[in-house]
Amino acid sequence: MEKKIIDFVSNPLTEVYGRNLFSDAVMKEKLPKSIYKAIKKVQAGEGELNIEVAEVVATAMKDWAIDNGATHYTHWFQPLTGLTAEKHDSFISPTGDGKVILEFSGKELVKGEPDASSFPSGGIRNTFEARGYTAWDVTSPAFLKQDNSGVTLYIPTAFVSYTGEALDKKVPLLRSMDAVSAAAMRVLKSLGNTTSKRVISTVGPEQEYFLVEKELFAKRMDLQLCGRTLYGAMAPKGQELEDHYFGTIKERVADFMRELNYELWKLGISAKTQHNEVAPNQFELAPIYETSNIAADNNQLVMDTMRKVAARHDLVCLLHEKPFAGVNGSGKHNNWSISTDDGINLLEPGSNPQENAQFLLFLAAVIKAVDSYSPILRMSAANSGNDHRLGANEAPPAIISMFLGEQLSEILENLAAGKASSGSGNSFMEIGTSMLPKLPKDLTDRNRTSPFAFTGNKFEFRMVPSSESISGPNVVLNTIVAEVLNDFASILESASDKKTAIQKIVLDTYKTHKKIIFNGNNYSDDWVAEAEKRGLPNIKSTVAALKALVSDDVVKVFEKNKVLTKRELHSRYEIYLEKYAKQINIEAGCAIRMAKNEILPACTSFIKKLADTINSVKTAGINAVCAAEHDLASKVSALVDKLYTEVGKLEKVLATTQGISDIEKQAISFRDDVFAQMLAVRQIADSLELLVEKSYWPFPSYSELLFNL
Ligand code: ADP
Ligand code: MG
C-alpha cells in the first residue's frame, strides 16, 4: 500500500482543524447577523426554530458544502441498533431542459422522513405505518464526510415516531440534558446564584480498541461475523510482562493514528491523547470533553473513522468489548461532569469555602443518585460483549460502587462525626467557612479498579462498553442526578435556614448512602463479599441488568423527569433483549459452522496424517511401536469425538432456544443454555489447537493475531 504522509507543515494543523465542520465560526461568517443570533438562541434553549431562519441556514449550509465538493446531504441519526444510520439525497433539482440546479430547502434541513420500517421500535411503530421522522439537532454542528470519491453533507438529527416518541439514542439524551440543567439551576438559584442561565452536562469518552491484520481477520469467520474470537488457545505470552501498556507506539500503528487524528481533526473532533493499552494490539484514543450531545455524536464518528482508517492501512479495528479471551477487553471511560454556562464546574472542589458548600451538595447528589439507582446505571453498560468483562474474570466488576479517594472520604467522615466546627456564621456566604474545611487542590489519588471514580473534578464511569453509543450511560447519569437535585432543591427552596438545610442534606445523604463508597481494590474477592454484606447489587449479566429498564422506580424517575415514558422504556427493554438474543444466536451459529466445517475436518486430516505416518514408519521398519504418534493420534481422536458430541448438543440446545417465543425467556435461555454450551465446545476446540500441527489448523492463532503488528 502506498504510504500516505500527512504533512502538517504545508497543512498547518490549525487550518486543518474543523475544516469539514459547519462550526460556529463558519456560521458566524456565512450567516446574516440576525440569523446567526437566532440560531445561537435556539442552541441555548432560549428560542424556537422558525422556518425562515432554517431557510437561510439551509442555503448557507448548502453553499458551504458545495464549495467543498459535496453533491449529497444526509440526515444522520442514531437508531436503537447502537449504530448510526444515513440515507443520502443529492442536491439536484432538474430544470426541465436537461439541466439541474442545486437546491436545499429549510424544510429539508429541518425534517426528514426516512423509510424507517426496518429499524427496531419495540412495538412503538408498526411496520405498516413506518413513518419515522428525523429532526435537525441544532445543537450539534453539521459536517462533511469525505471519502475517496466524494463529499457528503451530514446533518445530525433526532429520530422520532409519528407520535413524537423517541426511536433513537439522541432524543432521550437531549431530554436528560434539559432535566439535569433545570434541576441543577433550581439548586444553584436557591444557593444564591444569579448569573448562570443553564447547566450543561459534559463528557470526555476514552475509547479503547484493538487493531488486527486485515489478512488474518479475513481468515476468521468469528471475527468477521461476531467481532470477537469464539475459539483460540491463549498465546504463550499475554499481557503479563506489561510491556505494551504505554509502550513505544510501533510505526505501523503510529501511521494509523496519525491519519485517524487527521480525519478527526478535520471534523473538529479534538483527538487529544493516544497510547498503547494493557493488552497486546490494544490502544486508546481520548478527545477533549464536550457537551454530552456533541460528545456522543463525536464518539460515533470516532468509532466510524477508526474502522475506515484502519481499512486503509490493511488493518481491522475491533471495537468489541472482548475480542480475545485471556487478555483485557475494551471499554470506554465515560468522564462526566456538569458545569454552568458561565463556566463553573459543579464538581470542582475549588478552594474557597462557598464553592465547597456547593461542591459538597452536588457531590452528595451524585452519591445519592448512584446508590439509589445503581441497577439502571449498571443496565446502561450492559451488552453481550460486556458480559465477558463485568462480573466475569475481568475488571471492572459488575458491582457499582464509587471511589472518592481517602481525603474526600475523610472530610465527609469527619463531617458526619461532627468533627468539623459548626461555627456561628449567620449569613449564607459564610456557610462554607463555618462548616467546611478548605479542600486541597488535587485531592484524589488514583484508583484504576473502581467502576465509578471521582477524578478531581469529574466522575469517570468505567463500565461503558467499547462498541456502544455513550448516550445510554449519560442519559441515565443526567436523569438520576436530576432526580436527586430536584429533591435537594425542594428542601433548599423552602428552608428558612439554608445553612442548616445544606448541612443536613450533605450529612443525611452521606450517612444513608455511604455504603456505595469504596476506595479499596474492586478486583478482589473480599470486595465481592463485602459488597454483598453492604447490600449492593451484583448484577452479572445483560439479561438480568436490562430488567432495570422496566422496574417501577426507574419508570417513575424517567417519566417524572420527562426523559423516557413507560412505553419508551418498555420498547427499549424489548429491543435490547432481542439484540442480545440475536447476537448470541449469531455467535452460536458461527461457533457451530467453524467447529463442523473447519475444526473437525482439520483434526481428522491431522489424525489421518498421523495414521499414515505410523503405518509407513512401521512398514519401513523404523519404529515398530510409534508410541508418540500413537499417543498423539489417540488424544486428538478422543477430543474429536468429544467435540463432535458437544457441537451436537449445541445444535440441539440452540434449536430449542430459537423455538422459545417469549423474548425474556428466550434471552435467558441464550445466556444459560446456548452461551454455556458454546463455552463447553470452545474448551475442547482450544485443547485441540494445542495438539494439532500448525499447518493443519484452519485459522490464525492468538499469537499471530496479537503479536504481529
Ligand atoms: P485520565 O488520566 O483518566 O486519562 P484525563 O485527565 O486525561 O484522565 O481525562 C480523561 C478525559 O476526561 C478527557 O477526555 C478529558 O477531556 C475529560 N474531562 C476532563 N474534564 C472533564 C469535565 N469537566 N467533564 C467531562 N470530561 C472531562
Ligand atoms: Mg481515564
Side-chain angles (χ1 to χ4, degrees):
M1 203 188 94
E2 193 198 337
K3 223 178 202 171
K4 191 162 158 187
I5 297 186
I6 297 158
D7 166 16
F8 287 109
V9 178
S10 51
N11 276 312
L13 175 47
T14 46
E15 281 167 36
V16 165
Y17 194 86
R19 185 186 280 170
N20 289 347
L21 190 69
F22 196 66
S23 60
D24 198 59
V26 175
M27 283 205 289
K28 207 169 190 173
E29 185 199 320
K30 307 269 181 197
L31 295 175
K33 227 180 190 158
S34 62
I35 301 288
Y36 174 76
K37 273 193 181 154
I39 282 290
K40 292 306 283 181
K41 273 202 154 157
V42 178
Q43 284 181 340
E46 291 162 10
E48 296 245 319
L49 184 70
N50 67 47
I51 191 71
E52 290 78 40
V53 171
E55 212 58 70
V56 181
V57 178
T59 304
M61 211 186 253
K62 178 202 70 181
D63 291 344
W64 169 78
I66 289 170
D67 285 348
N68 284 289
T71 53
H72 288 70
Y73 71 92
T74 181
H75 274 201
W76 184 64
F77 59 106
Q78 302 173 18
L80 295 172
T81 52
L83 306 169
T84 58
E86 52 193 69
K87 182 187 82 174
H88 298 197
D89 281 295
S90 70
F91 291 116
I92 63 164
S93 171
T95 48
D97 55 356
K99 296 276 185 191
V100 292
I101 51 166
L102 303 182
E103 280 185 339
F104 183 52
S105 69
K107 221 178 112 216
E108 286 169 307
L109 167 63
V110 170
K111 191 172 120 187
E113 198 181 322
D115 172 16
S117 48
S118 299
F119 292 111
S121 80
I124 280 186
R125 179 172 35 72
N126 296 323
T127 35
F128 60 82
E129 45 174 55
R131 262 167 220 249
Y133 292 98
T134 50
W136 179 30
D137 172 10
V138 186
T139 61
S140 184
F143 55 91
L144 298 173
K145 230 176 175 182
Q146 246 174 327
D147 47 42
N148 284 334
S149 54
V151 179
T152 303
L153 169 66
Y154 278 66
I155 300 153
T157 57
F159 184 44
V160 291
S161 74
Y162 184 67
T163 49
E165 284 165 298
L167 296 173
D168 72 348
K169 304 253 175 187
K170 189 190 269 284
V171 172
L173 182 59
L174 293 172
R175 291 180 187 158
S176 74
M177 289 168 70
D178 284 346
V180 78
S181 174
M185 279 310 302
R186 279 183 67 194
V187 170
L188 288 175
K189 277 194 185 137
S190 69
L191 292 180
N193 178 319
T194 53
T195 53
S196 307
K197 289 196 190 123
R198 269 182 315 138
V199 167
I200 300 149
S201 63
T202 52
V203 175
E206 303 166 51
Q207 175 74 49
E208 293 180 339
Y209 61 97
F210 280 84
L211 290 174
V212 295
E213 185 82 66
K214 196 196 268 174
E215 208 184 308
L216 300 175
F217 171 88
K219 290 182 182 155
R220 296 207 50 141
M221 189 196 279
D222 49 6
L223 282 179
Q224 285 178 301
L225 301 191
C226 313
R228 75 176 182 98
T229 53
L230 301 173
Y231 298 106
M234 187 56 201
K237 177 180 167 177
Q239 60 196 38
E240 64 275 47
L241 293 181
E242 292 163 352
D243 51 354
H244 188 66
Y245 188 57
F246 280 15
T248 312
I249 299 174
K250 295 200 180 132
E251 189 167 20
R252 174 123 184 246
V253 176
D255 284 347
F256 158 82
M257 288 177 170
R258 204 173 309 282
E259 191 168 343
L260 174 63
N261 288 330
Y262 178 68
E263 292 295 341
L264 294 176
W265 288 335
K266 278 195 294 188
L267 290 168
I269 297 175
S270 55
K272 173 85 173 162
T273 309
Q274 59 196 26
H275 58 81
N276 288 357
E277 254 305 324
V278 171
N281 281 3
Q282 189 189 30
F283 310 93
E284 180 182 297
L285 177 141
I288 296 169
Y289 70 97
E290 266 285 4
T291 305
S292 306
N293 176 33
I294 294 176
D297 284 359
N298 284 353
N299 183 251
Q300 292 286 357
L301 289 170
V302 165
M303 293 193 287
D304 253 18
T305 311
M306 281 177 167
R307 291 199 191 96
K308 179 170 92 177
V309 173
R312 290 183 194 158
H313 290 253
D314 293 326
L315 296 167
V316 176
C317 173
L318 303 177
L319 292 167
H320 192 282
E321 290 71 27
K322 193 73 179 177
F324 305 99
V327 293
N328 271 20
S330 298
K332 255 191 274 246
H333 289 177
N334 188 87
N335 295 274
W336 174 91
S337 188
I338 41 178
S339 306
T340 64
D341 60 332
D342 51 348
I344 310 164
N345 180 349
L346 300 172
L347 293 176
E348 169 67 60
S351 48
N352 93 50
Q354 191 209 346
E355 281 171 14
N356 289 358
Q358 181 178 296
F359 165 73
L360 286 178
L361 203 51
F362 280 93
L363 179 71
V366 182
I367 293 173
K368 181 171 175 183
V370 171
D371 187 39
S372 307
Y373 303 105
S374 72
I376 189 71
L377 193 58
R378 163 70 180 88
M379 185 291 306
S380 76
N383 77 351
S384 66
N386 238 3
D387 278 3
H388 298 271
R389 304 173 64 231
L390 313 178
N393 305 322
E394 188 181 322
I399 306 159
I400 296 216
S401 66
M402 188 186 260
F403 169 84
L404 287 185
E406 295 290 323
Q407 244 171 327
L408 207 47
S409 300
E410 200 182 299
I411 288 166
L412 288 170
E413 236 354 273
N414 283 341
L415 282 173
K419 282 193 197 159
S421 61
S422 60
S424 58
N426 44 21
S427 84
F428 179 73
M429 296 301 282
E430 282 172 27
I431 285 170
T433 331
S434 53
M435 166 180 141
L436 304 166
K438 261 196 162 184
L439 301 180
K441 199 82 188 130
D442 191 15
L443 83 183
T444 46
D445 18 349
R446 284 276 166 183
N447 173 311
R448 290 273 165 208
T449 69
S450 177
F452 201 88
F454 184 69
T455 49
N457 59 4
K458 60 185 188 291
F459 276 98
E460 184 167 337
F461 183 32
R462 299 189 177 129
M463 279 183 168
V464 178
S466 54
S467 69
E468 297 277 343
S469 160
I470 56 167
S471 292
N474 290 294
V475 167
V476 171
L477 278 172
N478 292 342
T479 307
I480 61 179
V481 171
E483 171 70 14
V484 175
L485 287 173
N486 275 320
D487 285 351
F488 287 4
S490 300
I491 299 170
L492 290 170
E493 281 160 0
S494 62
S496 50
D497 179 355
K498 295 205 196 273
K499 174 189 159 183
T500 314
I502 292 179
Q503 193 155 4
K504 190 164 160 21
I505 290 174
V506 173
L507 293 191
D508 285 354
T509 304
Y510 180 65
K511 280 182 188 154
T512 314
H513 299 284
K514 68 188 247 190
K515 67 175 191 295
I516 196 76
I517 296 164
F518 179 65
N519 294 324
N521 178 7
N522 292 71
Y523 298 176
S524 73
D525 294 337
D526 291 352
W527 168 235
V528 177
E530 161 75 17
E532 199 181 334
K533 250 192 255 157
R534 293 188 189 187
L536 299 178
N538 185 357
I539 305 168
K540 288 183 182 149
S541 72
T542 294
V543 180
L546 291 177
K547 201 88 212 178
L549 275 168
V550 291
S551 71
D552 290 343
D553 60 330
V554 167
V555 170
K556 204 170 132 213
V557 168
F558 274 70
E559 288 210 319
K560 199 166 129 204
N561 288 281
K562 298 191 169 54
V563 175
L564 285 167
T565 63
K566 184 172 180 179
R567 210 162 102 93
E568 288 169 330
L569 285 162
H570 276 260
S571 80
R572 269 154 220 257
Y573 178 54
E574 215 166 278
I575 290 166
Y576 296 154
L577 276 179
E578 247 171 51
K579 185 175 166 190
Y580 174 84
K582 284 175 184 167
Q583 271 162 343
I584 305 296
N585 188 47
I586 294 169
E587 289 188 356
C590 184
I592 292 168
R593 288 283 177 94
M594 288 174 80
K596 284 172 71 170
N597 302 349
E598 299 184 39
I599 301 173
L600 285 169
C603 293
T604 48
S605 302
F606 180 56
I607 295 171
K608 179 175 183 318
K609 178 197 162 165
L610 289 172
D612 290 348
T613 306
I614 292 168
N615 287 338
S616 333
V617 170
K618 281 188 183 169
T619 313
I622 298 168
N623 184 333
V625 187
C626 287
E629 293 87 338
H630 229 279
D631 185 53
L632 185 56
S634 1
K635 275 187 181 142
V636 173
S637 184
L639 283 171
V640 162
D641 283 345
K642 251 178 143 177
L643 183 63
Y644 188 75
T645 310
E646 294 300 321
V647 171
K649 281 193 207 161
L650 178 57
E651 284 179 309
K652 224 168 150 186
V653 81
L654 179 60
T656 310
T657 302
Q658 284 168 341
I660 301 174
S661 55
D662 179 283
I663 180 63
E664 214 170 273
K665 291 196 179 111
Q666 192 190 44
I668 291 173
S669 177
F670 267 114
R671 179 195 64 193
D672 292 348
D673 309 324
V674 177
F675 185 73
Q677 184 57 23
M678 281 168 61
L679 286 181
V681 170
R682 177 183 184 145
Q683 214 176 18
I684 305 163
D686 290 356
S687 315
L688 278 164
E689 187 182 345
L690 298 175
L691 296 175
V692 170
E693 184 178 326
K694 189 169 160 41
S695 63
Y696 280 76
W697 200 250
F699 37 77
S701 68
Y702 269 29
S703 310
E704 291 165 280
L705 288 164
L706 287 170
F707 293 96
N708 68 330
L709 294 185

